[in-house]
Each structure stands twice: as C-alpha cells, then as structure tokens.
Coordinates of all heavy atoms in Angstrom, one line a residue:
M131 N -45.7 -10.4 -6.8 CA -44.8 -10.0 -5.7 C -43.4 -10.6 -5.9 O -43.2 -11.7 -6.3 CB -45.4 -10.6 -4.4 CG -44.8 -10.1 -3.1 SD -45.5 -10.8 -1.7 CE -44.2 -12.0 -1.3
A132 N -42.4 -9.8 -5.6 CA -41.0 -10.2 -5.8 C -40.6 -11.2 -4.7 O -41.2 -11.1 -3.6 CB -40.1 -9.0 -5.8
M133 N -39.7 -12.0 -4.9 CA -39.1 -12.8 -3.9 C -38.3 -11.9 -3.0 O -37.6 -11.1 -3.4 CB -38.2 -13.9 -4.4 CG -39.0 -15.0 -5.2 SD -37.9 -16.4 -5.5 CE -36.7 -15.7 -6.5
E134 N -38.4 -12.2 -1.6 CA -37.6 -11.4 -0.7 C -36.9 -12.3 0.3 O -37.5 -13.0 1.0 CB -38.5 -10.4 0.0 CG -39.2 -9.4 -0.9 CD -40.0 -8.4 -0.1 OE1 -39.5 -7.8 0.9 OE2 -41.2 -8.3 -0.4
Y135 N -35.6 -12.2 0.3 CA -34.8 -13.0 1.2 C -33.5 -12.2 1.5 O -33.1 -11.4 0.7 CB -34.5 -14.4 0.7 CG -33.9 -14.4 -0.6 CD1 -32.5 -14.4 -0.8 CD2 -34.6 -14.5 -1.8 CE1 -31.9 -14.4 -2.0 CE2 -34.1 -14.5 -3.0 CZ -32.7 -14.4 -3.1 OH -32.1 -14.4 -4.4
R136 N -33.0 -12.5 2.7 CA -31.8 -11.8 3.1 C -31.0 -12.6 4.1 O -31.5 -13.3 4.9 CB -32.4 -10.5 3.8 CG -31.3 -9.5 4.2 CD -31.9 -8.2 3.9 NE -31.4 -7.2 4.9 CZ -31.9 -6.0 4.9 NH1 -32.9 -5.6 4.1 NH2 -31.4 -5.1 5.8
N137 N -29.7 -12.3 4.0 CA -28.8 -13.0 5.0 C -28.6 -12.0 6.2 O -27.9 -11.0 6.1 CB -27.4 -13.2 4.3 CG -26.4 -13.9 5.3 OD1 -26.7 -14.2 6.4 ND2 -25.2 -14.0 4.8
L138 N -29.3 -12.4 7.3 CA -29.2 -11.5 8.5 C -27.8 -11.4 9.0 O -27.4 -10.3 9.6 CB -30.1 -12.1 9.6 CG -31.6 -12.1 9.4 CD1 -32.3 -12.5 10.7 CD2 -32.1 -10.8 8.9
M139 N -27.0 -12.4 8.8 CA -25.6 -12.3 9.2 C -24.9 -11.1 8.6 O -24.1 -10.5 9.3 CB -24.9 -13.7 8.9 CG -23.7 -13.9 9.6 SD -23.9 -13.8 11.4 CE -23.9 -15.5 11.8
E140 N -25.2 -10.9 7.4 CA -24.6 -9.8 6.7 C -24.9 -8.4 7.4 O -24.1 -7.6 7.6 CB -25.0 -9.8 5.2 CG -24.3 -8.8 4.3 CD -24.7 -8.9 2.9 OE1 -24.9 -10.0 2.4 OE2 -24.7 -7.9 2.2
D141 N -26.2 -8.3 7.7 CA -26.6 -7.0 8.4 C -25.9 -6.9 9.7 O -25.5 -5.8 10.1 CB -28.1 -7.1 8.7 CG -28.9 -6.9 7.4 OD1 -29.0 -5.8 6.9 OD2 -29.4 -8.0 6.9
I142 N -25.8 -8.0 10.4 CA -25.2 -7.9 11.8 C -23.7 -7.6 11.7 O -23.1 -6.9 12.5 CB -25.5 -9.3 12.6 CG1 -27.0 -9.4 12.8 CG2 -24.8 -9.3 13.9 CD1 -27.5 -10.7 13.2
V143 N -23.0 -8.2 10.7 CA -21.6 -7.9 10.5 C -21.4 -6.4 10.2 O -20.6 -5.7 10.8 CB -21.0 -8.8 9.4 CG1 -19.6 -8.3 9.0 CG2 -20.9 -10.2 9.8
L144 N -22.3 -5.9 9.3 CA -22.1 -4.5 8.9 C -22.4 -3.6 10.1 O -21.8 -2.5 10.3 CB -23.0 -4.1 7.7 CG -22.6 -4.8 6.4 CD1 -23.6 -4.5 5.3 CD2 -21.2 -4.2 6.0
Q145 N -23.4 -4.0 11.0 CA -23.7 -3.1 12.1 C -22.6 -3.0 13.1 O -22.4 -2.1 13.8 CB -24.9 -3.7 12.8 CG -26.3 -3.3 12.2 CD -27.4 -4.0 12.8 OE1 -27.3 -4.6 13.9 NE2 -28.6 -3.9 12.2
N146 N -21.8 -4.1 13.2 CA -20.7 -4.1 14.2 C -19.3 -3.8 13.7 O -18.4 -3.7 14.4 CB -20.7 -5.5 14.9 CG -21.9 -5.7 15.8 OD1 -22.0 -5.2 16.9 ND2 -22.9 -6.4 15.3
L147 N -19.3 -3.7 12.3 CA -18.0 -3.6 11.7 C -17.1 -2.4 12.2 O -16.0 -2.6 12.6 CB -18.2 -3.5 10.2 CG -16.9 -3.4 9.3 CD1 -16.2 -4.7 9.3 CD2 -17.3 -3.0 7.9
D148 N -17.7 -1.2 12.1 CA -16.9 0.0 12.4 C -16.4 0.0 13.8 O -15.2 0.3 14.1 CB -17.8 1.2 12.2 CG -18.0 1.5 10.7 OD1 -17.2 1.0 9.9 OD2 -18.9 2.3 10.3
S149 N -17.2 -0.4 14.8 CA -16.8 -0.3 16.2 C -15.7 -1.4 16.5 O -14.8 -1.1 17.2 CB -18.0 -0.5 17.2 OG -18.6 -1.7 17.0
V150 N -15.9 -2.6 15.9 CA -14.9 -3.6 16.2 C -13.6 -3.3 15.5 O -12.5 -3.4 16.1 CB -15.4 -5.0 15.7 CG1 -14.3 -6.1 15.9 CG2 -16.7 -5.4 16.4
M151 N -13.6 -2.8 14.3 CA -12.4 -2.4 13.6 C -11.7 -1.2 14.2 O -10.5 -1.2 14.4 CB -12.7 -2.1 12.1 CG -12.9 -3.4 11.3 SD -13.1 -3.0 9.5 CE -11.3 -2.8 9.0
A152 N -12.5 -0.3 14.7 CA -11.9 0.9 15.4 C -11.2 0.4 16.7 O -10.1 0.9 17.0 CB -12.9 1.9 15.7
A153 N -11.8 -0.5 17.4 CA -11.3 -1.0 18.7 C -10.0 -1.7 18.4 O -9.1 -1.7 19.3 CB -12.3 -1.9 19.4
G154 N -9.9 -2.4 17.3 CA -8.7 -3.1 16.9 C -7.5 -2.2 16.5 O -6.4 -2.7 16.5
G155 N -7.8 -1.0 16.2 CA -6.7 -0.1 15.9 C -6.1 -0.2 14.5 O -5.1 0.5 14.2
G156 N -6.7 -1.1 13.7 CA -6.1 -1.3 12.3 C -6.7 -0.2 11.3 O -7.4 0.7 11.7
C157 N -6.3 -0.4 10.1 CA -6.7 0.5 9.0 C -8.2 0.3 8.8 O -8.7 -0.8 8.8 CB -5.9 0.2 7.7 SG -6.5 1.3 6.3
T158 N -8.9 1.4 8.5 CA -10.4 1.3 8.3 C -10.7 1.9 6.9 O -11.8 2.5 6.8 CB -11.2 2.0 9.4 OG1 -10.8 3.4 9.6 CG2 -11.1 1.3 10.7
C159 N -9.8 1.9 6.0 CA -10.2 2.4 4.6 C -11.1 1.4 4.0 O -11.3 0.3 4.5 CB -8.9 2.6 3.8 SG -8.2 1.0 3.1
D160 N -11.8 1.8 2.9 CA -12.8 1.0 2.3 C -12.2 -0.4 1.8 O -12.9 -1.4 1.8 CB -13.5 1.7 1.1 CG -14.5 2.8 1.6 OD1 -14.8 2.7 2.8 OD2 -14.9 3.6 0.8
A161 N -11.0 -0.4 1.3 CA -10.4 -1.6 0.8 C -10.3 -2.6 2.0 O -10.6 -3.8 1.9 CB -9.1 -1.4 0.1
C162 N -9.8 -2.2 3.1 CA -9.6 -3.0 4.3 C -10.9 -3.5 4.8 O -11.1 -4.6 5.2 CB -8.7 -2.4 5.3 SG -7.0 -2.2 4.8
K163 N -11.9 -2.5 4.9 CA -13.2 -2.9 5.4 C -13.9 -4.0 4.5 O -14.5 -4.9 5.0 CB -14.1 -1.6 5.4 CG -14.1 -0.8 6.6 CD -15.2 0.2 6.5 CE -15.1 1.3 7.6 NZ -16.1 2.3 7.4
S164 N -13.7 -3.8 3.2 CA -14.3 -4.8 2.3 C -13.7 -6.2 2.5 O -14.4 -7.2 2.5 CB -14.1 -4.4 0.8 OG -14.6 -3.1 0.6
D165 N -12.4 -6.2 2.7 CA -11.7 -7.5 2.9 C -12.2 -8.1 4.3 O -12.4 -9.3 4.3 CB -10.2 -7.2 3.0 CG -9.6 -7.1 1.6 OD1 -10.3 -7.5 0.6 OD2 -8.5 -6.7 1.5
V166 N -12.3 -7.2 5.3 CA -12.8 -7.8 6.6 C -14.2 -8.3 6.5 O -14.5 -9.4 7.0 CB -12.7 -6.7 7.7 CG1 -13.3 -7.1 8.9 CG2 -11.2 -6.3 7.9
V167 N -15.1 -7.6 5.8 CA -16.4 -8.1 5.6 C -16.4 -9.5 4.9 O -17.1 -10.4 5.3 CB -17.3 -7.1 4.9 CG1 -18.7 -7.7 4.5 CG2 -17.5 -5.9 5.7
A168 N -15.7 -9.5 3.8 CA -15.7 -10.8 3.0 C -15.1 -11.9 3.8 O -15.7 -13.0 3.8 CB -14.9 -10.6 1.7
Y169 N -14.0 -11.7 4.5 CA -13.4 -12.7 5.3 C -14.3 -13.2 6.4 O -14.5 -14.4 6.6 CB -12.1 -12.2 5.9 CG -11.3 -13.3 6.7 CD1 -10.2 -14.0 6.1 CD2 -11.6 -13.5 8.0 CE1 -9.5 -14.9 6.8 CE2 -10.9 -14.5 8.7 CZ -9.8 -15.2 8.1 OH -9.1 -16.1 8.8
T170 N -15.0 -12.2 7.1 CA -15.9 -12.5 8.2 C -17.0 -13.4 7.7 O -17.4 -14.4 8.3 CB -16.4 -11.2 8.8 OG1 -15.3 -10.4 9.2 CG2 -17.3 -11.6 10.0
L171 N -17.7 -12.9 6.6 CA -18.9 -13.6 6.1 C -18.5 -15.0 5.6 O -19.4 -15.9 5.7 CB -19.6 -12.8 5.0 CG -20.3 -11.6 5.5 CD1 -20.8 -10.7 4.4 CD2 -21.5 -12.0 6.4
N172 N -17.3 -15.2 5.1 CA -16.9 -16.6 4.7 C -16.7 -17.5 5.8 O -16.7 -18.7 5.7 CB -15.6 -16.5 3.8 CG -15.9 -16.1 2.4 OD1 -17.0 -16.3 1.9 ND2 -14.9 -15.6 1.7
H173 N -16.5 -16.9 7.0 CA -16.2 -17.8 8.2 C -17.4 -17.9 9.2 O -17.2 -18.5 10.2 CB -14.9 -17.3 8.9 CG -13.7 -17.6 8.1 ND1 -13.3 -16.9 7.1 CD2 -12.8 -18.6 8.3 CE1 -12.2 -17.4 6.6 NE2 -11.9 -18.5 7.3
L174 N -18.5 -17.3 8.8 CA -19.7 -17.4 9.7 C -20.7 -18.1 8.9 O -20.8 -18.0 7.7 CB -20.2 -16.0 10.1 CG -19.4 -15.2 11.1 CD1 -19.9 -13.8 11.1 CD2 -19.5 -15.8 12.5
T175 N -21.5 -18.9 9.6 CA -22.6 -19.6 8.9 C -23.7 -18.5 8.5 O -24.1 -17.7 9.4 CB -23.3 -20.6 9.9 OG1 -22.3 -21.4 10.4 CG2 -24.3 -21.4 9.2
P176 N -24.1 -18.5 7.3 CA -25.1 -17.5 6.9 C -26.5 -17.8 7.6 O -26.7 -19.0 7.9 CB -25.2 -17.7 5.4 CG -24.6 -18.9 5.0 CD -23.6 -19.3 6.1
H177 N -27.3 -16.8 7.7 CA -28.6 -17.0 8.3 C -29.6 -16.3 7.5 O -29.9 -15.1 7.7 CB -28.6 -16.4 9.8 CG -29.8 -16.8 10.5 ND1 -29.9 -18.0 11.2 CD2 -30.9 -16.1 10.7 CE1 -31.1 -18.0 11.8 NE2 -31.8 -16.9 11.5
Y178 N -30.1 -17.0 6.5 CA -31.1 -16.4 5.6 C -32.5 -16.5 6.1 O -32.9 -17.5 6.7 CB -31.0 -17.2 4.2 CG -29.9 -16.7 3.3 CD1 -28.7 -17.3 3.3 CD2 -30.0 -15.6 2.5 CE1 -27.6 -16.9 2.6 CE2 -29.0 -15.1 1.8 CZ -27.8 -15.8 1.8 OH -26.8 -15.3 1.0
V179 N -33.2 -15.5 5.9 CA -34.6 -15.5 6.2 C -35.4 -15.0 4.9 O -34.9 -14.1 4.2 CB -35.0 -14.5 7.4 CG1 -34.4 -15.1 8.6 CG2 -34.5 -13.1 7.1
A180 N -36.5 -15.5 4.7 CA -37.4 -15.0 3.7 C -38.5 -14.3 4.4 O -39.3 -14.8 5.1 CB -38.0 -16.2 2.9
T181 N -38.5 -13.0 4.2 CA -39.5 -12.2 5.0 C -39.7 -10.8 4.3 O -38.9 -10.4 3.5 CB -38.9 -11.9 6.4 OG1 -39.9 -11.3 7.2 CG2 -37.7 -11.0 6.4
R182 N -40.8 -10.2 4.6 CA -41.1 -8.9 4.2 C -40.4 -7.8 5.1 O -40.1 -8.1 6.2 CB -42.6 -8.6 4.2 CG -43.3 -9.6 3.4 CD -44.1 -8.9 2.4 NE -45.3 -9.6 2.0 CZ -46.4 -9.0 1.6 NH1 -46.5 -7.7 1.6 NH2 -47.4 -9.7 1.2
Q183 N -40.1 -6.7 4.5 CA -39.4 -5.6 5.2 C -39.9 -5.4 6.6 O -39.1 -5.2 7.5 CB -39.5 -4.3 4.4 CG -38.4 -3.3 4.7 CD -37.0 -3.8 4.4 OE1 -36.8 -4.5 3.4 NE2 -36.1 -3.4 5.2
G184 N -41.2 -5.3 6.8 CA -41.8 -4.9 8.1 C -41.4 -5.9 9.2 O -41.2 -5.5 10.3
R185 N -41.3 -7.2 8.8 CA -41.0 -8.2 9.8 C -39.5 -8.4 10.0 O -39.0 -9.0 11.0 CB -41.6 -9.6 9.4 CG -43.1 -9.5 9.2 CD -43.8 -10.3 10.3 NE -43.1 -11.4 10.8 CZ -43.1 -11.8 12.0 NH1 -43.8 -11.1 12.9 NH2 -42.5 -12.9 12.4
L186 N -38.7 -7.8 9.1 CA -37.3 -8.0 9.1 C -36.6 -7.5 10.4 O -35.8 -8.2 11.0 CB -36.7 -7.4 7.9 CG -35.2 -7.7 7.6 CD1 -35.1 -9.2 7.3 CD2 -34.7 -6.9 6.4
M187 N -37.0 -6.3 10.8 CA -36.3 -5.7 12.0 C -36.5 -6.6 13.2 O -35.6 -6.7 14.0 CB -36.8 -4.3 12.2 CG -36.4 -3.3 11.1 SD -34.7 -3.5 10.4 CE -33.7 -3.0 11.8
V188 N -37.7 -7.1 13.4 CA -37.9 -8.0 14.6 C -37.0 -9.2 14.6 O -36.3 -9.5 15.6 CB -39.4 -8.4 14.6 CG1 -39.6 -9.3 15.8 CG2 -40.3 -7.2 14.6
K189 N -36.9 -9.8 13.4 CA -36.0 -11.0 13.3 C -34.6 -10.6 13.5 O -33.8 -11.4 14.1 CB -36.2 -11.7 11.9 CG -37.6 -12.3 11.7 CD -37.5 -13.3 10.6 CE -38.9 -13.9 10.4 NZ -38.9 -15.2 9.6
L190 N -34.2 -9.5 12.9 CA -32.8 -9.1 13.0 C -32.4 -8.8 14.4 O -31.4 -9.2 14.8 CB -32.7 -7.8 12.1 CG -31.3 -7.3 11.9 CD1 -30.3 -8.3 11.3 CD2 -31.3 -6.0 11.0
Q191 N -33.3 -8.1 15.1 CA -32.9 -7.8 16.5 C -32.8 -9.0 17.4 O -31.9 -9.2 18.2 CB -34.0 -6.8 17.1 CG -33.7 -5.4 16.7 CD -35.0 -4.5 16.9 OE1 -35.9 -4.9 17.5 NE2 -34.9 -3.3 16.3
S192 N -33.7 -10.0 17.2 CA -33.6 -11.2 18.1 C -32.4 -12.0 17.6 O -31.7 -12.6 18.5 CB -34.9 -12.0 18.0 OG -35.0 -12.8 16.9
Y193 N -32.1 -12.1 16.4 CA -30.9 -12.9 15.9 C -29.6 -12.2 16.3 O -28.7 -12.9 16.7 CB -31.0 -13.1 14.4 CG -30.0 -14.1 14.0 CD1 -30.0 -15.4 14.5 CD2 -28.9 -13.8 13.2 CE1 -29.1 -16.4 14.2 CE2 -27.9 -14.7 12.8 CZ -28.0 -16.0 13.3 OH -27.1 -16.9 13.0
E194 N -29.6 -10.9 16.3 CA -28.4 -10.2 16.8 C -28.1 -10.5 18.2 O -26.9 -10.7 18.6 CB -28.4 -8.7 16.5 CG -27.1 -8.0 17.0 CD -27.0 -6.6 16.6 OE1 -28.0 -5.9 16.2 OE2 -25.8 -6.1 16.6
L195 N -29.1 -10.5 19.1 CA -28.9 -10.8 20.5 C -28.2 -12.2 20.6 O -27.3 -12.4 21.5 CB -30.2 -10.8 21.2 CG -30.8 -9.5 21.5 CD1 -32.1 -9.6 22.2 CD2 -29.9 -8.7 22.4
Q196 N -28.6 -13.2 19.8 CA -28.0 -14.5 19.9 C -26.6 -14.6 19.4 O -25.8 -15.4 19.8 CB -28.8 -15.5 19.1 CG -30.3 -15.7 19.5 CD -31.0 -16.5 18.5 OE1 -30.5 -17.5 17.9 NE2 -32.2 -16.0 18.1
S197 N -26.3 -13.8 18.3 CA -25.1 -14.1 17.5 C -24.0 -13.0 17.7 O -23.0 -13.2 17.2 CB -25.5 -14.2 16.1 OG -26.0 -13.0 15.6
R198 N -24.3 -12.0 18.4 CA -23.4 -10.8 18.4 C -22.0 -11.2 18.9 O -21.0 -10.8 18.3 CB -24.0 -9.7 19.3 CG -23.1 -8.5 19.3 CD -23.7 -7.4 20.2 NE -23.2 -6.2 19.6 CZ -24.0 -5.1 19.6 NH1 -25.2 -5.1 20.1 NH2 -23.5 -3.9 19.2
A199 N -21.9 -12.0 19.9 CA -20.5 -12.4 20.4 C -19.7 -13.1 19.4 O -18.5 -12.8 19.2 CB -20.7 -13.2 21.7
D200 N -20.4 -14.0 18.6 CA -19.7 -14.7 17.6 C -19.3 -13.8 16.5 O -18.2 -13.9 15.9 CB -20.6 -15.8 17.0 CG -20.9 -17.0 17.9 OD1 -20.1 -17.1 18.9 OD2 -21.8 -17.7 17.7
V201 N -20.1 -12.9 16.1 CA -19.9 -11.9 15.0 C -18.7 -11.0 15.4 O -17.8 -10.8 14.6 CB -21.1 -11.1 14.7 CG1 -20.7 -10.0 13.7 CG2 -22.2 -12.0 14.1
V202 N -18.7 -10.5 16.6 CA -17.6 -9.6 17.1 C -16.3 -10.4 17.0 O -15.3 -9.9 16.6 CB -17.9 -9.1 18.5 CG1 -16.7 -8.4 19.1 CG2 -19.1 -8.0 18.4
A203 N -16.3 -11.6 17.5 CA -15.0 -12.4 17.5 C -14.6 -12.7 16.1 O -13.4 -12.6 15.8 CB -15.3 -13.8 18.2
A204 N -15.5 -12.9 15.2 CA -15.1 -13.2 13.8 C -14.6 -12.0 13.1 O -13.6 -12.0 12.3 CB -16.3 -13.8 13.0
I205 N -15.2 -10.8 13.4 CA -14.7 -9.6 12.8 C -13.3 -9.3 13.3 O -12.4 -8.9 12.6 CB -15.6 -8.4 13.1 CG1 -17.0 -8.6 12.4 CG2 -15.0 -7.1 12.6 CD1 -18.0 -7.6 12.8
S206 N -13.1 -9.5 14.6 CA -11.7 -9.2 15.2 C -10.7 -10.1 14.6 O -9.6 -9.6 14.2 CB -11.7 -9.5 16.7 OG -12.7 -8.8 17.4
E207 N -11.0 -11.3 14.4 CA -10.1 -12.3 13.7 C -9.8 -11.8 12.3 O -8.6 -11.8 11.8 CB -10.7 -13.7 13.8 CG -9.7 -14.7 13.3 CD -10.4 -16.1 13.1 OE1 -11.3 -16.4 13.9 OE2 -10.1 -16.7 12.0
A208 N -10.8 -11.4 11.6 CA -10.7 -11.0 10.2 C -9.8 -9.8 10.1 O -9.0 -9.6 9.2 CB -12.0 -10.8 9.6
A209 N -10.0 -8.8 11.0 CA -9.3 -7.6 11.0 C -7.8 -7.8 11.2 O -6.9 -7.2 10.6 CB -9.8 -6.6 12.1
V210 N -7.4 -8.8 12.1 CA -6.0 -9.2 12.3 C -5.5 -9.8 11.0 O -4.4 -9.4 10.6 CB -5.9 -10.2 13.5 CG1 -4.5 -10.8 13.5 CG2 -6.3 -9.5 14.8
M211 N -6.2 -10.7 10.3 CA -5.7 -11.3 9.1 C -5.5 -10.2 8.0 O -4.5 -10.2 7.3 CB -6.8 -12.3 8.5 CG -7.0 -13.4 9.4 SD -5.6 -14.5 9.7 CE -5.3 -15.0 8.0
V212 N -6.4 -9.3 7.9 CA -6.3 -8.3 6.8 C -5.2 -7.3 7.1 O -4.4 -6.9 6.2 CB -7.7 -7.5 6.7 CG1 -7.5 -6.3 5.8 CG2 -8.7 -8.4 6.1
A213 N -5.0 -7.0 8.4 CA -3.9 -6.1 8.8 C -2.6 -6.6 8.5 O -1.6 -5.9 8.2 CB -4.1 -5.7 10.3
K214 N -2.5 -8.0 8.5 CA -1.2 -8.6 8.2 C -0.8 -8.5 6.7 O 0.3 -8.5 6.3 CB -1.3 -10.1 8.6 CG -1.0 -10.4 10.0 CD -1.0 -11.9 10.2 CE -1.2 -12.2 11.7 NZ -1.5 -13.7 11.9
A215 N -1.9 -8.5 5.9 CA -1.6 -8.4 4.4 C -2.6 -7.4 3.8 O -3.5 -7.8 3.0 CB -1.8 -9.8 3.8
P216 N -2.5 -6.1 4.1 CA -3.5 -5.2 3.6 C -3.4 -5.0 2.1 O -2.3 -5.1 1.5 CB -3.1 -3.9 4.3 CG -1.7 -4.1 4.8 CD -1.5 -5.5 4.9
R217 N -4.5 -4.8 1.4 CA -4.6 -4.7 0.0 C -4.5 -3.2 -0.4 O -4.2 -2.9 -1.5 CB -6.0 -5.2 -0.4 CG -6.0 -5.9 -1.7 CD -7.3 -6.8 -1.8 NE -8.5 -6.2 -1.2 CZ -9.4 -5.5 -1.9 NH1 -9.2 -5.2 -3.2 NH2 -10.5 -5.1 -1.4
H218 N -4.7 -2.3 0.5 CA -4.7 -0.8 0.2 C -3.3 -0.4 -0.3 O -2.3 -0.9 0.2 CB -5.1 0.0 1.4 CG -4.3 -0.2 2.6 ND1 -4.8 -0.1 3.9 CD2 -3.0 -0.6 2.8 CE1 -3.8 -0.3 4.8 NE2 -2.7 -0.7 4.1
G219 N -3.3 0.5 -1.3 CA -2.1 1.0 -1.7 C -1.4 0.1 -2.8 O -0.5 0.5 -3.4
R220 N -2.0 -1.1 -2.9 CA -1.4 -2.0 -3.9 C -2.1 -1.9 -5.3 O -1.7 -2.5 -6.2 CB -1.5 -3.5 -3.4 CG -0.3 -3.9 -2.6 CD -0.2 -5.4 -2.5 NE -0.5 -5.8 -1.2 CZ -1.1 -7.0 -1.0 NH1 -1.4 -7.8 -1.9 NH2 -1.4 -7.4 0.3
E221 N -3.3 -1.2 -5.3 CA -4.0 -1.1 -6.5 C -3.7 0.1 -7.4 O -3.1 1.0 -6.9 CB -5.5 -1.1 -6.2 CG -6.0 -2.5 -5.9 CD -7.2 -2.5 -4.9 OE1 -7.1 -1.9 -3.8 OE2 -8.3 -3.0 -5.3
Ligands
LIG563 ZN1 -6.6 0.0 4.5

C-alpha cells in the first residue's frame, strides 16, 4: 500500500481561491493565481492528514468549517500583495 498524506490547507485554499480573488477585483490569470496560492500557503499553518481517499472528504469538510475565515483572510491579503507586483507579462 502506498503512503497517503495530504495538506488539507491546500485543498481549502484552492476551493476558495476563485471567489476570493474575483471579489478582490484583481487579475485572475494563471500566473497571478499561482503567486496568490504560493503566498497564501506560506503564510498559513499546513494541516497534514494521513488518510485514505474515502475518509478524506469528511476530514476536509470539518476542517474547512473551522478554518475558512482564516483562509479567506489570507487569500485576500495575498491577492493585494500580488496585485502590487504582478508577475504576468514579465515572462
Ligand atoms: Zn495576472
């Protein structure tokens, strides 16, 4: 059996990314999204779980309820930082 582990924080950030970035009104191209995800995940405490796929959704849902407000705040902050110094168009 393979080892299975996952950072639930990453799933929760990705689930909320589009709506928070859209609400902020900034650029939502892939370069900016990637920067926002990286910045956000570096500023949130990771939440790793070792679990099989079937049990994952239950853990994810309960953890999202606890952490959603923090995640939304972190994404908003990251979007502001990225919008100040966007990487798009520089490559
Ligand atoms: Zn962009």
Side-chain angles (χ1 to χ4, degrees):
M131 193 183 103
M133 291 195 297
E134 294 182 55
Y135 54 89
R136 186 139 146 190
N137 179 7
L138 293 188
M139 197 55 101
E140 189 175 326
D141 291 281
I142 296 167
V143 167
L144 289 174
Q145 278 174 11
N146 290 283
L147 182 72
D148 287 343
S149 61
V150 176
M151 285 186 77
C157 178
T158 55
C159 76
D160 283 348
C162 290
K163 274 191 191 176
S164 304
D165 282 344
V166 169
V167 169
Y169 184 97
T170 304
L171 287 172
N172 280 336
H173 286 80
L174 288 169
T175 307
H177 188 84
Y178 278 95
V179 292
T181 189
R182 301 237 208 153
Q183 197 66 34
R185 303 250 326 141
L186 189 63
M187 293 320 290
V188 177
K189 291 197 179 200
L190 184 57
Q191 280 163 10
S192 81
Y193 191 61
E194 180 170 17
L195 284 176
Q196 301 167 41
S197 62
R198 185 178 206 144
D200 290 342
V201 170
V202 167
I205 296 171
S206 302
E207 188 191 318
V210 169
M211 296 298 296
V212 169
K214 279 186 195 162
R217 219 159 37 90
H218 56 209
R220 274 199 250 149
E221 282 151 300

